[in-house]
């Protein structure tokens, strides 16, 4: 297994086409792709947007309704991800997702939805999130960390704006440029979308968040390649920096990873994965 200090800044990359026509990077050093070879765009949309952002938005919206009506019952809008077959497992206890949802709901309407991404990488998750937040008219705060930033040439070679319809390409290019061109470790606000955005440059294993997040994208390289990013201690530390009812989504649904999340305090759901991946996980801060 690769140790943290062996993950030096990656120099050797290949741009590779995935099955849905979108491109990803293959890191020779880590010997892993940045996204699923079955479809980078498809994977990112399915896990981080549908199971993550839309669900977090649903919870927030439901909470507002509940708070506004002085009721505790949350109204469920259905998303593709929540329709998927799922199992909720909690170490030593069982709690329904709806009950958890209600617990974390009393938020005021103009508070931002606070997202944290582990591993900004190509910026695909950030790009899709900012565009979707714009469509939903969400007040978004997006923080992320990256230890090994990619060169602008590599980002450009991936040609993500071409994935969008002609009328959206200009916007996608501008958002992607905002994501990659902004200075590290400084809070920025995009004047067009009012998105708050901070890129932390550093090693996540020694990162101390100052926010409490509603939504976490756990998008490290796999446990086989980067075991140190999937420890119970890191999950427990992230748990402390999340809102009650907040969710963490990841492509890795391995049993041992689910058990570590449960021991860290999360309720863990298995959801149907994107093509090529049987299951993904969504963990909820109870
Ligand atoms: C699987 S890729 C994630 C891809 C990314 N989310 C995207 O949409 O392109 C994992 C990312 O985590 C970054 N990473 C690896 N070790 C890290 C560490 N210790 N701290 C922060 N980021 C790290 C890698 O450089 C890489 O960008």
């Amino acid at each position: 297994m690769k140790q943290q200090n062996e993950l030096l800044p990656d120099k050797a990359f290949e741009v590779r086409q995935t099955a849905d026509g979108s491109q990803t990077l293959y890191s020779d050093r880590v010997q892993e792709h940045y996204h699923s070879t079955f479809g980078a765009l498809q994977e990112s949309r399915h896990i981080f947007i549908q199971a993550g952002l839309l669900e977090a938005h649903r919870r927030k919206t439901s909470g507002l309704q509940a708070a506004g009506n002085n009721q505790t019952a949350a109204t469920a809008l259905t998303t593709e991800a929540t329709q998927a077959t799922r199992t909720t497992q909690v170490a030593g206890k069982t709690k329904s997702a709806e009950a958890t949802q209600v617990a974390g709901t009393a938020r005021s309407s103009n508070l931002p939805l606070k997202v944290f991404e582990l591993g900004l990488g190509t910026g695909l998750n950030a790009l899709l999130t900012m565009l979707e937040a714009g469509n939903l008219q969400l007040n978004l705060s997006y923080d992320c960390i990256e230890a090994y930033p990619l060169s602008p040439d590599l980002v450009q070679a991936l040609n993500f704006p071409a994935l969008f319809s002609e009328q959206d390409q200009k916007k996608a290019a501008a958002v992607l440029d905002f994501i990659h061109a902004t200075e590290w470790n400084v809070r920025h606000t995009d004047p067009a979308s009012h998105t708050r955005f901070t890129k932390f440059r550093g090693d996540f294993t020694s990162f101390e968040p100052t926010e409490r997040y509603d939504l976490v994208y756990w998008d490290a390289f796999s446990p086989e390649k980067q075991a140190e990013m999937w420890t119970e201690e890191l999950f427990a530390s992230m748990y402390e920096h999340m809102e009650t009812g907040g969710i963490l989504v990841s492509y890795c649904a391995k049993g041992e990873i689910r058990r570590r999340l449960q021991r860290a305090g999360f309720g863990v759901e298995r959801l149907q994965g994107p093509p090529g991946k049987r299951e993904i996980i969504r963990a909820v801060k109870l």
Side-chain angles (χ1 to χ4, degrees):
M1 281 203 196
K2 213 168 268 288
Q3 294 304 304
Q4 179 59 42
N5 57 10
E6 291 177 272
L7 284 166
L8 299 170
D10 294 311
K11 291 196 180 77
F13 291 100
E14 270 175 53
V15 174
R16 291 193 182 166
Q17 176 122 347
T18 68
D20 68 0
S22 59
Q23 307 202 84
T24 190
L25 290 178
Y26 178 79
S27 164
D28 283 343
R29 186 180 295 277
V30 185
Q31 301 206 327
E32 200 162 271
H33 290 89
Y34 272 54
H35 306 96
S36 163
T37 55
F38 290 91
L41 178 65
Q42 192 169 247
E43 177 192 48
S44 193
R45 278 197 173 133
H46 183 104
I47 302 173
F48 302 105
I49 303 303
Q50 288 171 355
L53 183 69
L54 296 186
E55 174 65 8
H57 178 53
R58 179 182 81 82
R59 285 163 180 268
K60 206 153 177 131
T61 310
S62 302
L64 291 173
Q65 287 165 353
N69 296 334
N70 199 21
Q71 290 173 348
T72 50
T75 318
L77 299 174
T78 314
T79 67
E80 238 180 274
T82 55
Q83 282 171 343
T85 315
R86 64 198 198 193
T87 320
T88 302
Q89 304 165 314
V90 186
K93 54 190 166 179
T94 307
K95 211 166 179 177
S96 82
E98 302 326 335
T100 308
Q101 171 180 317
V102 171
T105 52
R107 296 170 198 160
S108 95
S109 59
N110 56 3
L111 288 177
L113 182 79
K114 290 172 288 173
V115 182
F116 178 80
E117 178 179 25
L118 164 51
L120 171 70
T122 65
L124 182 58
N125 294 337
L127 172 64
L128 295 179
T129 303
M130 288 184 194
L131 292 175
E132 190 63 33
N135 294 340
L136 296 168
Q137 299 193 307
L138 261 181
N139 183 1
L140 178 72
S141 172
Y142 198 100
D143 290 357
C144 56
I145 190 163
E146 178 55 63
Y148 313 115
L150 297 169
S151 72
D153 288 355
L154 269 178
V155 173
Q156 213 172 358
L158 291 163
N159 202 13
F160 287 147
L163 299 171
F164 298 87
S165 67
E166 213 172 308
Q167 64 178 38
D168 289 340
Q169 283 184 12
K170 234 171 130 181
K171 188 166 184 198
V175 173
L176 198 59
D177 187 54
F178 170 68
I179 290 168
H180 287 290
T182 49
E183 207 183 323
W184 294 91
N185 305 316
V186 175
R187 190 167 290 290
H188 301 270
T189 302
D190 175 27
S193 64
H194 305 291
T195 296
R196 281 197 322 171
F197 181 52
T198 310
K199 294 191 297 189
F200 295 99
R201 183 169 183 174
D203 181 352
F204 179 67
T205 58
S206 50
F207 179 62
E208 269 297 317
T210 53
E211 295 270 3
R212 286 171 80 83
Y213 297 102
D214 299 298
L215 173 60
V216 173
Y217 298 165
W218 203 272
D219 201 14
F221 288 117
S222 69
E224 290 75 23
K225 302 291 180 180
Q226 264 199 305
E228 71 280 5
M229 305 298 271
W230 302 86
T231 63
E232 188 180 325
E233 289 70 27
L234 274 193
F235 290 139
S237 160
M238 186 45 83
Y239 187 93
E240 290 307 315
H241 292 99
M242 288 172 66
E243 299 285 1
T244 303
I247 60 181
L248 177 155
V249 280
S250 180
Y251 65 88
C252 179
K254 287 190 163 66
E256 181 50 30
I257 301 303
R258 295 203 309 272
R259 286 188 284 280
R260 286 178 198 168
L261 281 161
Q262 287 161 7
R263 288 197 295 266
F266 289 96
V268 181
E269 297 175 297
R270 281 181 284 166
L271 306 176
Q272 195 183 314
K277 180 118 197 71
R278 200 159 58 91
E279 291 179 333
I280 60 167
I281 47 171
R282 182 165 59 209
V284 180
K285 174 163 176 171
L286 301 173

